[in-house]
């Protein structure tokens, strides 16, 4: 249970820190942190939690990462569903806390703001198509899983994995916020989409299927390049 609670708390922090920065601070008058700030916020949530709970649960914070680690032979299938449930629940709690905070500002409109939801087409920050969104999410998640598997390999420099993984997630956001608002994490997407409803829920399937497909590809790639056999 310690592992599942750690995943719940960690995913709570990822959603509150990452989506919270997007909702509350990204476009704040004159002092907004913009895309770069939001990207850093997501990366910092993973980096800080990796040091805090990595030794407890492995700090997945993401159903796609859990699937990728399972496919990569690093995680038991028996714990996969409980981890995913804990991650989704933690994200939803964070979404609720963020809604309470954000709605404390006069004139706040949940639907109009988008509430950091992921989307494509007219709901993409840059107006990118469904195909562009799928390719982006698959490739970004694939590379994220490759970095995670590589950084946590027993042959990698000890103790530096959280930094590599956190910076990787930052880079992913710097690339893909304009395309989909960056998911690469079904729990993060679900955490805000269920509060927005409507289009956010209708498009949510993409942000489950594409990251999981990308995670499976990432695991397959690392099994090839990370093999210690000649």
């Amino acid at each position: 249970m310690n592992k599942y609670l750690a995943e719940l708390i960690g995913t709570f922090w990822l959603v509150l820190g990452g989506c919270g920065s997007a909702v509350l601070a990204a476009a704040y008058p004159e002092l907004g942190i913009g895309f770069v700030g939001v990207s850093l916020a997501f990366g910092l949530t993973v980096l800080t939690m990796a040091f805090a709970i990595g030794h407890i649960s492995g700090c997945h914070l993401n159903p796609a990462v859990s699937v990728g680690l399972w496919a990569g032979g690093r995680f038991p299938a028996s714990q996969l569903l409980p981890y995913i449930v804990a991650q989704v629940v933690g994200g939803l709690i964070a979404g609720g806390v963020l809604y309470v905070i954000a709605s404390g500002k006069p004139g706040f409109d949940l639907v109009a703001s988008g509430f950091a939801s992921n989307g494509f087409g007219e709901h993409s920050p840059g107006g990118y198509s469904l195909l562009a969104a799928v390719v982006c999410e698959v490739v970004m998640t694939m590379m994220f899983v490759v970095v995670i598997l590589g950084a946590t390999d027993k042959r990698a420099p000890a103790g530096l994995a959280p930094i590599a993984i956190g910076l990787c997630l930052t880079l992913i956001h710097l690339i893909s916020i304009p395309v989909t608002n960056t998911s690469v994490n079904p729990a993060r997407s679900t955490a805000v989409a269920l509060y927005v409803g409507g289009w956010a829920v209708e498009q949510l399937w993409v942000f489950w299927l594409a990251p999981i497909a990308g995670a499976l590809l990432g695991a397959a790639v690392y099994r090839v390049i990370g093999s210690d056999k000649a």
Side-chain angles (χ1 to χ4, degrees), residues 7 11 59-72 75 80 83-85 87-88 137-138 140-146 148-149 169 183-190 206-220:
E7 284 296 303
T11 311
C59 191
H60 300 186
L61 318 185
N62 181 338
V65 168
S66 296
V67 169
L69 291 174
W70 162 75
F75 188 66
L80 192 55
Y83 261 57
I84 291 173
V85 170
Q87 292 155 1
V88 171
E137 289 291 325
V138 168
M140 295 300 160
T141 312
M142 178 187 75
M143 294 308 302
F144 192 35
V145 169
V146 167
I148 291 169
L149 289 170
L169 189 60
S183 172
V184 302
N185 185 340
R188 168 261 187 270
S189 299
T190 304
V206 171
F207 304 105
W208 273 87
L209 292 183
I212 289 174
L216 292 172
L217 282 174

Side-chain angles (χ1 to χ4, degrees), residues 57-111:
S57 68
C59 191
H60 300 186
L61 318 185
N62 181 338
V65 168
S66 296
V67 169
L69 291 174
W70 162 75
R74 303 276 190 87
F75 188 66
S78 61
Q79 294 183 22
L80 192 55
L81 183 58
Y83 261 57
I84 291 173
V85 170
Q87 292 155 1
V88 171
V89 170
L92 287 171
I93 294 171
V97 171
L98 180 57
Y99 173 74
V100 171
I101 295 170
S103 61
K105 180 179 179 180
F108 173 73
D109 188 324
L110 178 66
V111 176

Side-chain angles (χ1 to χ4, degrees), residues 138-226:
V138 168
V139 173
M140 295 300 160
T141 312
M142 178 187 75
M143 294 308 302
F144 192 35
V145 169
V146 167
V147 169
I148 291 169
L149 289 170
T152 56
D153 193 300
K154 61 184 179 181
R155 296 165 292 174
L160 298 181
I163 298 173
I165 295 167
L167 288 176
C168 181
L169 189 60
T170 298
L171 176 58
I172 286 169
H173 279 78
L174 288 172
I175 297 167
S176 60
I177 285 178
V179 183
T180 61
N181 222 12
T182 309
S183 172
V184 302
N185 185 340
R188 168 261 187 270
S189 299
T190 304
V192 288
L194 294 189
Y195 289 92
V196 175
W199 68 266
V201 173
E202 292 169 4
Q203 296 191 353
L204 185 58
W205 64 273
V206 171
F207 304 105
W208 273 87
L209 292 183
I212 289 174
L216 292 172
L217 282 174
V221 167
Y222 195 77
R223 278 188 177 273
V224 174
I225 66 172

